[in-house]
């Protein structure tokens, strides 16, 4: 990565990529809600961050290298991703709503209730890939990168850096909130909030798909 940002042009492109990346990623979306909850629970946080960061890096560089051309030649892929995202977000919204109503969340959970590392990583991958907003971000990144010419890979490296910083801040920073979540009522509020966020995202995507 250091080789692609050498020189003033590369460094400038890297800073631009980092700034734009923070602007795109620093929002409370489906992936953020998932990482926040796992971070507070301290369940497989590092593997989840690593999974999300790796997926982001691969697709950011792929987008800058020409992913936009692929999706333009396969218009049906957009619809598949959109409705797959609606179903995925809707299912997780229902799970969060159930926990909010029954009090099934919290720090004191049975070992059998904790998802395996593989399941947690698959969920993290789902919140990244099966998410139309993720693909929209990739298209935006790929389009902006064209303005940087030969320094576009330095721009991509800046976006990847922003992704890694944001994911790490969410996952590890969430642990600082753990003392606030020692009461079941607090967990119900969190899960209820997550359910609302995911439901709103799923509804927005469904409306977009119909229109």
């Amino acid at each position: 990565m250091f080789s692609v940002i050498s020189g003033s042009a590369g460094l400038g492109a890297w800073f631009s990529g980092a700034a734009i990346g923070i602007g795109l990623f620093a929002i409370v979306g489906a992936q953020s809600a998932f990482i926040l909850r796992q971070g507070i629970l301290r369940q497989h946080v590092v593997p989840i961050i690593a999974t999300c960061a790796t997926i982001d890096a691969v697709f950011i560089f792929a987008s800058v290298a020409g992913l936009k051309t692929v999706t333009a030649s396969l218009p049906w892929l957009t619809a598949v991703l959109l409705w797959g995202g609606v179903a995925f977000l809707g299912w997780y919204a229902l799970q969060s709503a159930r926990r909010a109503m029954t009090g099934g969340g919290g720090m004191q959970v049975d070992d059998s209730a904790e998802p395996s590392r593989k399941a947690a990583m698959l969920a993290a991958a789902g919140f990244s890939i099966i998410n139309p907003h993720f693909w929209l971000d990739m298209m935006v990144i790929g389009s902006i990168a064209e303005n940087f010419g030969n320094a576009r890979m330095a721009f991509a490296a800046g976006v990847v850096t922003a992704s890694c910083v944001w994911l790490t801040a969410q996952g590890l920073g969430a642990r600082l909130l753990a003392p606030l979540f020692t009461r079941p009522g607090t967990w119900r509020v969190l899960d209820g909030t997550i359910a609302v966020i995911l439901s709103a995202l799923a509804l927005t995507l469904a409306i977009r798909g119909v229109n």
Side-chain angles (χ1 to χ4, degrees):
M1 181 178 295
F2 291 107
S3 61
V4 300
I5 61 175
S6 58
S8 58
L11 188 61
W14 180 86
F15 275 116
S16 296
I20 290 173
I22 288 295
L24 288 174
F25 301 139
I27 58 173
V28 179
Q31 184 192 70
S32 298
F34 173 71
I35 294 176
L36 174 64
R37 190 173 198 282
Q38 296 304 118
I40 293 172
L41 284 171
R42 301 185 182 184
Q43 292 180 351
H44 313 298
V45 180
V46 174
I48 287 172
I49 293 174
T51 298
C52 293
T54 300
I55 291 173
D56 280 1
V58 169
F59 281 93
I60 287 168
F61 280 111
S63 176
V64 172
L67 186 60
K68 184 178 181 181
T69 303
V70 175
T71 54
S73 63
L74 298 174
W76 55 266
L77 183 60
T78 301
V80 169
L81 291 170
L82 188 148
W83 290 109
V86 169
F88 184 80
L89 294 174
W91 184 80
Y92 264 91
L94 288 175
Q95 297 300 309
S96 296
R98 180 184 60 80
R99 288 193 300 266
M101 290 185 292
T102 63
M107 300 294 287
Q108 304 300 325
V109 294
D110 296 333
D111 290 339
S112 59
E114 180 177 346
S116 66
R117 177 180 298 180
K118 180 179 179 181
M121 293 173 68
L122 286 174
F127 276 113
S128 295
I129 298 176
I130 312 177
N131 181 355
H133 288 126
F134 170 84
W135 293 95
L136 178 60
D137 285 347
M138 293 303 110
M139 295 304 100
V140 170
I141 291 167
S143 297
I144 296 176
E146 293 300 316
N147 298 316
F148 291 89
N150 293 332
R152 63 183 181 275
M153 285 302 170
F155 171 83
V159 181
V160 170
T161 301
S163 169
C164 292
V165 170
W166 176 241
L167 290 169
T168 301
Q170 290 180 97
L172 300 183
R175 297 188 177 193
L176 301 177
L177 300 176
L180 300 177
F181 288 84
T182 56
R183 296 180 296 176
T186 308
W187 275 102
R188 288 193 174 192
V189 172
L190 176 64
D191 284 321
T193 302
I194 291 175
V196 170
I197 291 174
L198 298 188
S199 296
L201 289 173
L203 180 60
T204 300
L205 292 175
I207 293 173
R208 181 184 301 173
V210 171
N211 295 334

